[in-house]
RNA sequence: GGGGCCGUAGUUAAGCUGGUUAUAACGCCGGCCUGUCACGUCGGAGGGCGCGGGUUCGAGUCCCGUCGGCCCCGCCA
């Protein structure tokens, strides 16, 4: 570059800078070579500026510029000038001006990129990921990462100004039972032993509380070796926080203030104050899911009592029967209903009963089963109107709720009733403390084993674990769980009772959680916390459909990095040093 | 572990019930062009259809397997 220094970036110059000498550096976005005049749109992360190579200004500089191609890197030195009348480009923020090139340097050449560096072309994801560094040059991708920085900064500013300390926790830690599958790291110095990458810094942040560092936060990478989804990557980032001497309502208050702050600082969006709240039971009752999208109504209705004596055996014999009304949905064709039937089968539904409310009659394969009384009760409970369609699901309560919950989302998507630009957070509270695992025939902690039961609910732990509610809370945004936390157990007695219910013997507890149990005996303060999924939050805020779009170097569904080809085989020597031997050595 | 969608020039796509030399646009290469802005214009090169089998006189087209990408169920406290 010699002594050339960039004086401005490519979105900076305007008519106010006319006449100034400037130096820009960037990439060739578009080349328009007229033979006599050459126009280049020069791009950097901020934007585009048109630079003009004019033989009347510098013939030699113009002559050299014929070699310029897409994505060449150059530095131009020249004078800002107002574009001639009628030549201005209102679609470009710098469209009022251009830079007459007096001299320029080629900083680097570039191969023809495998795909154009523009937003308006859809490139297959595998090609994008193979050339991720080029993909990230595209404005949309770049914007997402810049936005992510801005939002993260807002979080840091908020937390710092609220007396939180950003504290680190180990990446190499120990594997613990419960929860997701761990990523393991073999130890060379302790052959046969393994570290685990943290699923979250859960225990360390509790230990910080015991240390007296009473407000902790960390923007931290977490690792879970489970199957991927559009909103799940094997490594992801949490905004993790923990506070001492607080109860549930205080954590929720400060957490939602942080979320409001982030939205306001980055999008100028004012979220409701306070966020609405639903109990877990109410969420399941109304929406079928514990992560309800409340941007639209269409609640589920429990009609078990109405059809308890129905002639329709499926309904009268099911423990739960619920209905979902799609207003003005009676126009759905047989084919569309068949598609929906296929859709619900994913969730274990055997079929999908429906009734179209027509002015003269109810049109339905099952209408004949209902008595006049039952029809009236249904019409009233469901506030049925002409040209509505009602869908039903009967059977196992979990299946019924899940199926209709997802059907509700599917119908909303198909009928486009969701306001895509709105953000509607909702707290879900009063989760069950335990969940019964039918396969393993034991209780699991629904949140995690360090979650405190609600006051008085510890009575149920030994006798009726299903009745115990937890001091746990999730924050749901537009149908995505973006955060969750709990008040923690802070006495060793309660922690032991919890392990007891979970079937973790005192020997196992001592060997795997001994450090926590011991620490709880040295004056552990009451404490509580929450963690937010930063990737999901940024995904929603940027209107992205996958967290891959807000992660710089994401993995594919098979957890591979197409750019670096990770994971990869390692040498026999490396394995030997680690005391490992592959069971099957292919190739 | 399972279900669904998809792999055709560098890219994005078309290619019907199998039928001559596999289309197009953009990109790329070369010529012309002093006011373009996804410049224009004239000309040119480039793939054998993810890979491997099979059916057939004949296979991007049908079948089987396999690899890869995406969506989902299970899984993810």
């Amino acid at each position: 570059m010699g002594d050339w220094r960039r004086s401005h970036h490519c979105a900076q110059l305007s008519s106010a800078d006319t006449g100034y000498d400037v130096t820009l550096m960037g990439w060739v976005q578009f080349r328009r070579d007229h033979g006599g005049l050459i126009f280049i749109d020069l791009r950097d992360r901020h934007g585009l500026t048109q630079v003009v190579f004019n033989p009347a200004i510098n013939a030699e500089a113009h002559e050299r510029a014929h070699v310029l191609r897409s994505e060449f890197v150059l530095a131009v030195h020249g004078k800002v000038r107002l574009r001639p009348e009628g030549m201005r480009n209102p679609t470009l923020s710098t469209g009022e001006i251009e830079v007459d090139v007096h001299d320029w340097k080629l900083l680097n050449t570039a191969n023809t990129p495998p795909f154009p560096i523009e937003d308006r072309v859809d490139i297959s994801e595998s090609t994008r990921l193979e050339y991720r560094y080029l993909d990230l040059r595209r404005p949309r991708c770049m914007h997402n990462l810049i936005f992510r920085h801005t939002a993260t900064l807002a979080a840091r500013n908020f937390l710092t100004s609220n007396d939180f300390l950003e504290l680190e926790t180990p990446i190499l830690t120990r594997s613990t039972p419960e929860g997701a599958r761990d990523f393991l790291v073999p130890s060379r110095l302790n052959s046969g032993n393994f570290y685990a990458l943290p699923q979250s810094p859960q225990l360390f942040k509790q230990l910080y509380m015991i240390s007296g560092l009473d407000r902790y936060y960390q923007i931290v990478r977490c690792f879970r070796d489970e199957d991927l989804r559009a909103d799940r990557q094997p490594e992801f980032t949490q905004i993790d926080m923990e506070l001492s001497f607080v109860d549930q309502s205080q954590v929720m208050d400060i957490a939602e203030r942080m979320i409001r702050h982030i939205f306001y600082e980055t999008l100028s969006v004012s979220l409701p104050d306070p966020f609405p709240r639903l109990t877990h039971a109410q969420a399941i009752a109304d929406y079928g899911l514990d992560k309800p999208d409340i941007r639209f109504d269409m609640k589920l209705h429990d009609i078990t009592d109405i059809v308890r004596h129905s002639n329709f055996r499926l309904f009268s014999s099911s423990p739960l029967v619920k209905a979902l009304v799609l207003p003005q949905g009676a126009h759905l064709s047989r084919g569309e209903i068949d598609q929906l039937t296929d859709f619900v089968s994913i969730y274990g539904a055997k079929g999908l009963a429906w009734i179209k409310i027509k002015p003269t009659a109810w049109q339905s394969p099952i209408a004949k089963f209902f008595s006049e009384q039952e029809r009236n009760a249904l019409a009233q409970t469901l506030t049925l109107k002409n040209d509505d369609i009602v869908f039903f699901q009967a059977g196992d309560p979990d299946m019924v709720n899940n199926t209709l919950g997802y059907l509700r989302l599917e119908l909303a998507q198909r009928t486009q009733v969701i306001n895509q630009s709105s953000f509607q957070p909702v707290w879900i509270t009063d989760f069950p403390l335990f969940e019964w695992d039918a396969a393993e025939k034991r209780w699991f902690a629904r949140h995690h084993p360090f979650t405190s039961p609600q006051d008085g609910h510890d009575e149920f732990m030994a006798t009726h674990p299903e009745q115990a509610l937890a001091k746990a809370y999730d924050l749901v945004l537009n149908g995505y769980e973006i955060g969750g936390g709990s008040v923690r157990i802070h006495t060793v007695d309660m922690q032991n009772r919890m392990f007891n219910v979970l079937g973790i013997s005192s020997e196992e507890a001592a060997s795997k959680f001994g450090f926590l149990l011991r620490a709880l005996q040295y004056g552990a303060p009451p404490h509580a916390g929450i963690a937010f999924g930063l990737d999901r939050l940024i995904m929603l805020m940027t209107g992205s459909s996958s967290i891959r779009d807000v992660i710089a170097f994401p993995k594919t569904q098979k957890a591979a990095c197409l750019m670096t080809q990770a994971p990869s085989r390692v040498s026999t020597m490396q394995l030997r040093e680690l005391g490992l031997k592959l069971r099957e050595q292919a190739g």
Side-chain angles (χ1 to χ4, degrees):
Chain A
M1 292 201 306
D3 58 352
W4 287 42
R5 293 288 178 270
R6 178 155 82 156
S7 68
H8 295 79
H9 62 68
C10 290
Q12 207 168 359
L13 299 170
S14 68
S15 51
D17 302 297
T18 305
Y20 284 101
D21 286 327
V22 298
T23 303
L24 302 178
M25 298 188 187
W27 288 262
V28 174
Q29 177 69 41
F30 299 115
R31 168 181 68 113
R32 293 178 292 278
D33 187 340
H34 289 224
L37 278 180
I38 300 171
F39 299 94
I40 297 285
D41 288 336
L42 197 66
R43 185 196 72 240
D44 64 15
R45 88 162 138 105
H46 298 278
L48 298 177
T49 298
Q50 174 166 287
V51 300
V52 188
F53 298 81
N54 187 336
I57 288 176
N58 184 334
E60 182 268 341
H62 169 264
E63 183 56 32
R64 279 194 291 129
H66 288 296
V67 305
L68 290 174
R69 294 293 182 272
S70 287
E71 300 306 309
F72 278 29
V73 190
L74 55 150
V76 305
H77 180 74
K79 200 179 283 289
V80 182
R81 72 179 208 123
L82 215 51
R83 293 196 195 184
E85 198 64 47
M87 310 297 167
R88 301 187 183 148
N89 186 346
T91 63
L92 205 60
S93 70
T94 57
E96 291 274 295
I97 54 93
E98 60 194 6
V99 173
D100 275 329
V101 177
H102 289 243
D103 192 12
W104 67 278
K105 286 189 179 195
L106 184 64
L107 301 178
N108 209 346
T109 60
N111 289 345
T112 302
F115 51 83
I117 311 301
E118 299 168 40
D119 283 338
R120 60 195 158 74
V121 274
D122 282 327
I123 307 298
S124 74
E125 191 140 354
S126 50
T127 307
R128 292 174 54 196
L129 291 180
E130 190 179 342
Y131 295 92
R132 186 59 160 178
Y133 43 90
L134 296 181
D135 192 29
L136 295 179
R137 281 187 194 167
R138 306 202 301 164
R140 176 81 214 172
C141 288
M142 191 168 278
H143 165 266
N144 286 348
L145 294 188
I146 294 168
F147 182 89
R148 185 178 171 123
H149 158 77
T150 310
T152 307
L153 179 64
R156 283 201 162 92
N157 287 339
F158 175 88
L159 291 165
T160 301
S161 65
N162 279 275
D163 209 23
F164 284 79
L165 303 169
E166 183 166 11
L167 301 168
E168 296 179 83
T169 50
I171 292 295
L172 295 176
T173 177
R174 70 167 292 153
S175 181
T176 53
E178 310 271 312
R181 197 176 287 116
D182 285 322
F183 278 102
L184 296 178
V185 180
S187 166
R188 178 179 59 85
L189 296 175
N190 303 275
S191 190
N193 291 333
F194 294 82
Y195 301 98
L197 305 182
Q199 298 173 27
S200 82
Q202 181 59 37
L203 294 176
F204 288 102
K205 65 177 178 174
Q206 291 191 235
L207 292 163
Y208 270 138
M209 295 305 104
I210 295 172
S211 302
L213 293 152
D214 58 20
R215 286 191 170 201
Y216 145 97
Y217 85 94
Q218 189 178 193
I219 314 266
V220 63
R221 200 67 58 85
C222 303
F223 306 87
R224 295 177 189 175
D225 188 5
E226 298 292 346
D227 286 1
L228 285 71
R229 288 284 192 283
D231 63 348
R232 278 163 33 188
Q233 283 272 306
E235 51 178 306
F236 61 99
T237 304
Q238 287 188 341
I239 306 175
D240 191 40
M241 39 203 288
E242 193 78 8
L243 304 79
S244 292
F245 310 116
V246 293
D247 61 19
Q248 169 169 328
S249 64
Q250 289 169 287
V251 178
M252 290 167 69
D253 176 66
I254 199 148
E256 72 170 62
R257 282 201 285 128
M258 178 185 77
I259 296 295
R260 264 196 302 276
H261 178 80
I262 295 172
F263 268 83
Y264 190 76
E265 290 295 308
T266 57
L267 295 176
S268 304
V269 165
S270 296
L271 293 178
D273 183 4
F275 292 172
R277 297 182 184 195
L278 278 176
T279 65
H280 176 261
Q282 195 65 48
I284 298 294
D286 287 349
Y287 303 97
L289 305 173
D290 61 6
K291 46 178 185 176
D293 190 337
I294 62 166
R295 287 177 297 176
F296 62 102
D297 208 24
M298 278 175 62
K299 292 192 177 76
L300 313 187
H301 296 275
D302 186 340
I303 58 160
T304 314
D305 289 342
I306 296 174
V307 298
R308 187 176 302 279
H309 303 294
S310 164
N311 290 323
F312 190 30
R313 181 65 61 82
L314 174 66
F315 281 13
S316 54
S317 66
S318 289
L320 180 67
V321 186
K322 290 180 87 167
L324 171 63
V325 180
L326 177 64
Q328 299 300 301
H331 60 82
L332 287 184
S333 68
R334 189 60 209 229
E336 288 170 311
I337 293 175
D338 285 347
Q339 281 178 17
L340 294 171
T341 307
D342 287 344
F343 174 81
V344 297
S345 71
I346 309 172
Y347 303 99
K350 297 283 191 289
L352 182 62
W354 52 271
I355 298 174
K356 289 179 178 178
I357 312 301
K358 296 291 180 120
T360 48
W362 285 11
Q363 185 185 323
S364 164
I366 61 164
K368 57 177 181 270
F369 294 111
F370 297 116
S371 67
E372 189 67 27
Q373 191 186 355
E374 285 164 344
R375 286 175 177 239
N376 289 340
L378 282 175
Q380 194 174 353
T381 302
L382 304 176
T383 57
L384 295 175
K385 297 190 177 59
N386 278 336
D387 298 318
D388 288 351
I389 186 169
V390 193
F391 294 101
F392 300 91
Q393 207 55 235
D396 169 68
D398 286 347
M399 185 281 290
V400 168
N401 282 314
N402 207 37
T403 298
L404 287 182
Y406 281 109
L407 179 63
R408 173 178 173 272
L409 295 177
E410 176 71 12
L411 293 173
Q413 199 160 11
R414 287 177 178 232
T415 54
Q416 301 181 327
V417 298
I418 301 177
N419 177 355
Q420 294 294 338
S421 62
S422 82
F423 294 99
Q424 297 201 24
V426 56
W427 285 109
I428 309 299
T429 63
D430 300 272
F431 281 88
L433 188 58
F434 300 104
E435 224 165 15
W436 177 252
D437 185 299
E440 292 197 30
K441 291 194 164 65
R442 73 174 188 93
W443 292 100
F444 268 82
R446 176 170 178 116
H447 184 58
H448 58 51
F450 318 105
T451 301
S452 173
Q454 293 192 355
D455 296 338
H457 286 229
D458 59 310
E459 308 293 331
F460 303 130
M461 286 172 64
T463 53
H464 301 92
E466 72 280 358
Q467 288 181 26
L469 294 182
K471 289 184 177 174
Y473 31 89
D474 279 357
L475 184 62
V476 173
L477 179 62
N478 293 0
Y480 284 87
E481 182 200 323
I482 60 158
S486 63
V487 175
R488 323 301 183 188
I489 294 169
H490 72 282
T491 66
V492 70
D493 171 58
M494 182 63 78
Q495 190 62 66
N496 278 325
R497 287 171 67 190
M498 173 62 74
F499 286 149
N500 215 18
V501 179
L502 299 177
I504 298 174
S505 68
S506 50
E507 292 75 25
E508 189 182 359
S511 85
K512 291 176 173 157
F513 300 108
F515 62 100
L516 175 71
L517 294 174
R518 178 188 283 182
L520 289 173
Q521 298 173 71
Y522 285 93
H527 59 286
I530 188 167
F532 289 94
L534 179 67
D535 314 283
R536 284 184 191 170
L537 184 63
I538 303 300
M539 171 184 84
L540 292 168
M541 295 181 84
T542 57
S544 305
S545 51
S546 161
I547 62 171
R548 291 188 303 278
D549 288 344
V550 302
I551 295 173
F553 300 102
K555 309 277 191 290
T556 67
Q557 194 155 55
K558 282 198 69 187
C561 173
L562 296 182
M563 189 179 65
T564 62
Q565 303 277 286
S568 65
R569 294 188 165 276
V570 297
S571 69
T572 311
M573 177 62 83
Q574 282 174 293
L575 289 175
R576 193 178 301 142
E577 281 189 324
L578 295 167
L580 297 179
K581 188 173 181 185
L582 293 184
R583 199 138 58 112
E584 304 160 20
Q585 196 101 34

